[in-house]
Amino acid sequence: MKPGGKRIAILGAGPAGLTIARLLTEQSDHSVTLFEKSHRVGGKSLSVRQGEDLIEFGTCYTIMSHRRVMEWMREEGITIQQIVPHKIDGIPARDFFNSGSGAPLAIQGIRYVIARRNLLKKLESDTPAQAALDEAATPAVEWLRARKLGKIEKMMMRTVTGMGYGDLQTVPILHAMRWVDMDLILSGTLNKIYMPAEGWSEFWERLAQNMDVRLEAHVRHIERSAKGHRIVLADGTEESFDALICAMPVDRFSALLEPTESERIVGDAIHWGGFATTLISSEDWFEEQIEYYSETCLPGVEPGLLMSARREGYDAGLGGHLYIANQLPGDYTGPELVEILREEVTKRGASINAVIQQEVWEYFPEYAADAIRKGLVARMRQMQGERGTWYTGATFSHESVANICIHNEALVPKLLAALK
Ligand SMILES: Cc1cc2nc3c(=O)[nH]c(=O)nc-3n(C[C@H](O)[C@H](O)[C@H](O)COP(=O)(O)OP(=O)(O)OC[C@H]3O[C@@H](n4cnc5c(N)ncnc54)[C@H](O)[C@@H]3O)c2cc1C
């Protein structure tokens, strides 16, 4: 650490923790230490080698908004591969979007982008008008239908519900808007969608290799004070820091210290959804790279049903072609989800030879509509830096590596200014 440098502790070495650590070391001489409770970095990214194939159980794609991440991938020697255009109900995605009602897709796209920009701008105020807060809390489908955006609704069935980002009938339009921006619309229509050939896990490991990461660090307690913050680990060791970054779920962070009022309010306002990814083998299922099923992404979606699947490779020893199948878990257990999956695959004229591995993720922190109406978003901005603590991750931007990284790019200059 150079003279004048400060000590920064980051709780969590998932994409949020690692990307903010990288930005801080690029832009300052402060020393950065990451505390990660698991034995590996990368959080919800998990690449597993299965014979010749690399299977992504968690994070899979980059789109145009993953600019900074793709830059780092190139620097770290990761090969970025474009995926084959995917289909929905067996037809190209663009044809599916065009089957929605109303004006041509390009016109709807422009109307949507303008309405989105106007609302997000209003929400940047520290005291947004109640009408803007009410609009942000409106269920996505209601907001879209009021504006006759039937084709954008079809697009959101795939890019919002189909990716586990909420049922359009209930999810506040704010969530859909944070993810569905111009970059996403262009990436979807021009198929600018990529995957890292060496896998996301390898990327995060390379990114972390020169960082001070404490794996399997079990933080027992954090004591904040005006003079600094003391992190006490389960083995009794302790270290002091000048700033804290919460890059883990804020409700669990709050359990490690005396939470502020904002930390309590944000923790209470969030409901975590889930996402289940199951690796199966089959000899007689689809041959495309990715298939989506629209009937399981309709507003009012039922958990458990098969929303999409990705063909990953071939392994005769494991029973044939390998597929990752995606389901919303709801309250189902892992074995119940497998049973439903078998029925869903059979319904599509195929059969499962083997169920190889299943991951059920804590996914998509959805804000309660009522909390949005009461100004949650402004509060989440205003609490940055309170008691020397900064916040990032899926809760504070949106559940995607691109949104998290963009959030961090905006946060780091403020954090560095506060540390001067
Ligand atoms: C199936 C699936 C598919 C996805 N596909 C994509 C995609 O295609 N593109 C995309 O951009 N994103 C995708 N995502 C989303 C992306 O993976 C997440 O948005 C991202 O991982 C969230 O990063 P995070 O750092 O906020 O949280 P996490 O990834 O959850 O990381 C949080 C970290 O904090 C650690 N932690 C928790 N508690 C503590 C504690 N007490 N002490 C220390 N450490 C702690 C955890 O172990 C974890 O490592 C996908 C996710 C899933 C599950």
Side-chain angles (χ1 to χ4, degrees), residues 11-17 35-38 40 42-45 57-62 66 163 165 200 217 219 247-249 252 256 275 277 361 363 392-394 398-402 404:
L11 278 287
F35 292 91
E36 167 54 56
K37 76 164 184 196
S38 143
R40 62 175 184 88
K44 278 173 267 191
S45 299
F57 278 90
T59 326
C60 3
Y61 313 115
T62 64
H66 287 76
M163 295 185 72
Y165 298 148
W200 279 90
V219 176
M248 57 182 275
R252 255 170 278 140
L256 299 173
F275 210 59
T277 48
W361 301 96
Y363 188 71
T392 177
H398 172 76
E399 185 78 272
S400 104
V401 175
I404 289 167

Side-chain angles (χ1 to χ4, degrees), residues 63-348:
I63 58 167
M64 287 163 72
S65 47
H66 287 76
R67 280 181 196 86
R68 183 62 77 108
V69 174
M70 286 202 280
E71 236 173 74
W72 287 332
M73 282 183 174
R74 284 187 204 99
E75 274 174 36
E76 299 295 342
I78 298 284
T79 323
I80 302 163
Q81 287 178 330
Q82 193 168 20
I83 64 160
V84 174
H86 61 271
K87 295 200 169 162
I88 301 171
D89 302 336
I91 61 169
R94 198 199 295 224
D95 294 347
F96 175 74
F97 304 153
N98 272 319
S99 69
S101 61
L105 185 56
I107 307 277
Q108 291 196 23
I110 293 166
R111 282 191 199 143
Y112 166 75
V113 168
I114 294 171
R116 171 186 185 274
R117 194 189 54 203
N118 290 343
L119 179 57
L120 294 183
K121 184 98 206 121
K122 288 181 200 158
L123 297 177
E124 278 170 20
S125 157
D126 280 345
T127 49
Q130 192 58 47
L133 298 176
D134 293 344
E135 183 181 342
T138 308
V141 82
E142 197 181 301
W143 187 93
L144 291 164
R145 288 183 187 172
R147 288 162 184 77
K148 302 190 170 23
L149 298 175
K151 293 184 170 62
I152 303 293
E153 181 180 328
K154 291 269 178 182
M155 179 181 280
M156 285 191 181
M157 280 169 59
R158 147 77 181 87
T159 55
V160 177
T161 311
M163 295 185 72
Y165 298 148
D167 174 357
L168 294 184
Q169 199 159 283
T170 49
V171 72
I173 189 67
L174 171 70
H175 281 291
M177 279 187 173
R178 282 179 157 182
W179 172 232
V180 182
D181 61 2
M182 198 60 185
D183 274 340
L184 181 119
I185 295 173
L186 287 177
S187 303
T189 37
L190 305 174
N191 196 48
K192 299 247 175 225
I193 308 175
Y194 307 86
M195 288 179 84
E198 292 80 1
W200 279 90
S201 294
E202 177 65 22
F203 166 59
W204 295 123
E205 269 167 36
R206 289 188 196 180
L207 201 76
Q209 70 191 343
N210 294 319
M211 295 180 188
D212 177 13
V213 186
R214 315 281 171 83
L215 293 176
E216 296 184 86
H218 299 288
V219 176
R220 189 168 67 199
H221 182 63
I222 302 173
E223 238 175 72
R224 288 188 286 210
S225 83
K227 289 197 198 121
H229 313 300
R230 209 156 56 89
I231 295 191
V232 183
L233 297 176
D235 64 7
T237 56
E238 52 180 77
E239 283 181 68
S240 291
F241 294 88
D242 302 296
L244 277 182
I245 299 177
C246 164
M248 57 182 275
V250 73
D251 48 340
R252 255 170 278 140
F253 179 73
S254 294
L256 299 173
L257 37 65
E258 184 59 48
T260 63
E261 188 193 2
S262 290
E263 285 166 348
R264 229 179 274 121
I265 288 175
V266 174
D268 289 348
I270 281 156
H271 166 75
W272 282 91
F275 210 59
T277 48
T278 308
L279 181 65
I280 59 160
S281 63
S282 171
E283 283 287 17
D284 52 7
W285 209 8
F286 62 88
E287 291 179 7
E288 305 293 334
Q289 191 175 5
I290 303 168
E291 284 279 7
Y292 275 82
Y293 304 106
S294 71
E295 63 176 359
T296 51
C297 300
L298 284 167
V301 58
E302 284 287 322
L305 302 177
L306 173 67
M307 305 179 92
S308 63
R310 189 174 63 245
R311 186 160 144 138
E312 291 279 22
Y314 185 83
D315 192 322
L318 288 174
H321 291 285
L322 304 177
Y323 297 86
I324 280 281
N326 300 315
Q327 297 161 280
L328 292 179
D331 293 331
Y332 291 116
T333 63
E336 286 167 345
L337 287 168
V338 167
E339 273 322 294
I340 301 173
L341 186 56
R342 282 188 190 283
E343 287 167 25
E344 289 283 288
V345 173
T346 308
K347 215 164 77 187
R348 288 170 175 87

